[in-house]
């Protein structure tokens, strides 16, 4: 133990001898333990460069290059993930307002995909029925949102999409792991879970109502 204390004391003395007891401004370069990320060879955009025949540092893509980020095709329209479009942002273009409803057509296939992605990514915390009683609640983990709360029922679809993308409070961001269309599919399925408790018999199409009146 005494050797540890002696080593710790020597480290403190060395630190104080280098940095002093309080910080101070200096014109000397800072001490760099790993300087490789501070200065590195690179080409600055629109700058002069003698390496290329035309002396421009900005280069066109190599002929035949395929873009890594492919556009989404929605209703025959191509949309790239960086565009200011409700499909990408969940917001009304040019504003900070969330869109009220999904910018995708709600189909049986979309709901099936949403159920699958919800079960994988959301059900462990939010529960299979969306009541916030997933498997994590059995281990006394943090309180999880209940999708059947009136606040969330009234929340715009775009805001739920934004929460899935960027996270909120203690919930992490799922944008890097779940694709844009899958996030909207999850939103659609969350709405289906809410309707499973809030819907009325009159909301069911006439040919199917008899199933609920037996």
């Amino acid at each position: 133990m005494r050797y540890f204390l002696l080593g710790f004391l020597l480290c403190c003395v060395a630190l104080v001898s280098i940095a002093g007891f309080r910080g101070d401004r200096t014109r000397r370069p800072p001490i760099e333990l790993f300087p490789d990320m501070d200065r590195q060879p690179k080409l600055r955009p629109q700058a002069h460069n003698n390496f290329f025949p035309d002396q421009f540092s900005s280069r066109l893509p190599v002929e035949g290059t395929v873009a890594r980020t492919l556009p989404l095709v929605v209703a025959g329209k191509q949309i790239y993930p960086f565009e200011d479009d409700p499909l990408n942002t969940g917001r009304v273009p040019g504003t900070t307002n969330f869109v009220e409803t999904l910018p995708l057509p709600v189909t049986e296939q979309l709901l099936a995909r949403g159920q699958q992605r919800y079960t994988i990514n959301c059900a462990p915390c939010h529960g299979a029925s969306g009541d916030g009683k997933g498997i994590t609640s059995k281990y006394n983990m943090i309180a999880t949102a209940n999708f059947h709360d009136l606040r969330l029922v009234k929340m715009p679809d775009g805001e739920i999409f934004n929460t899935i993308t960027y996270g909120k409070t203690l919930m992490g961001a799922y944008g890097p792991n779940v694709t844009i269309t899958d996030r909207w599919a999850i939103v659609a399925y969350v709405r289906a879970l809410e309707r499973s408790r809030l819907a009325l018999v009159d909301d069911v199409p006439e040919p199917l109502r008899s199933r609920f009146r037996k």
Side-chain angles (χ1 to χ4, degrees):
M1 183 67 181
R2 60 182 178 181
Y3 294 109
F4 171 78
L5 293 176
L6 180 61
F8 179 75
L9 180 60
L10 291 175
C11 289
C12 291
V13 171
L15 180 63
V16 170
S17 64
I18 296 174
F21 284 100
R22 63 184 180 86
D24 197 2
R25 294 183 179 181
T26 177
R27 293 182 179 275
R28 293 181 299 176
I31 299 174
E32 297 178 327
L33 298 179
F34 303 100
D36 54 322
M37 295 300 292
D38 291 335
R39 288 175 297 279
Q40 51 187 302
K42 59 184 175 182
L43 300 177
R44 295 186 179 277
Q46 306 299 329
H48 178 270
N49 191 287
N50 291 324
F51 181 80
F52 299 103
D54 57 9
Q55 299 185 348
F56 287 114
S57 60
S58 299
R59 314 306 303 166
L60 293 174
V62 177
E63 185 177 354
T65 300
V66 178
R68 181 180 179 183
T69 302
L70 299 178
L72 298 173
V73 180
V74 181
K77 177 183 177 183
Q78 287 190 347
I79 302 173
Y80 285 90
F82 53 80
E83 292 185 70
D84 183 19
D85 188 277
L87 187 70
N88 299 325
T89 64
R91 299 177 185 270
V92 179
T95 73
T96 59
N97 300 325
F98 293 108
V99 295
E100 290 293 331
T101 57
L102 278 78
L104 289 175
V106 179
T107 63
E108 183 178 352
Q109 292 76 15
L110 185 73
L111 288 173
R113 180 67 177 180
Q115 181 182 28
Q116 181 195 52
R117 298 293 98 183
Y118 178 92
T119 302
I120 294 173
N121 298 284
C122 313
C125 293
H126 292 281
S129 62
D131 57 2
K133 298 179 180 179
I135 188 65
T136 57
S137 65
K138 297 182 179 180
Y139 295 93
N140 297 321
M141 298 183 68
I142 59 175
T144 307
N146 179 358
F147 293 125
H148 303 287
D149 287 344
L150 185 60
R151 177 182 66 87
L152 296 180
V153 172
K154 293 184 176 181
M155 181 178 289
D157 290 347
E159 188 171 354
I160 298 178
F161 174 85
N162 184 78
T163 302
I164 297 173
T165 304
Y166 300 107
K168 191 173 184 179
T169 59
L170 296 179
M171 172 182 163
Y174 281 79
N177 304 324
V178 182
T179 65
I180 291 175
T181 51
D182 281 349
R183 276 173 257 163
W184 285 117
I186 291 174
V187 174
Y189 184 69
V190 166
R191 293 309 193 198
L193 290 177
E194 293 172 348
R195 292 294 295 272
S196 69
R197 294 192 181 185
L198 300 176
L200 302 175
V201 174
D202 293 339
D203 295 329
V204 180
E206 183 65 35
L208 302 177
R209 293 181 186 177
S210 58
R211 299 182 183 180
F212 300 94
R213 290 174 175 169
K214 293 181 180 180

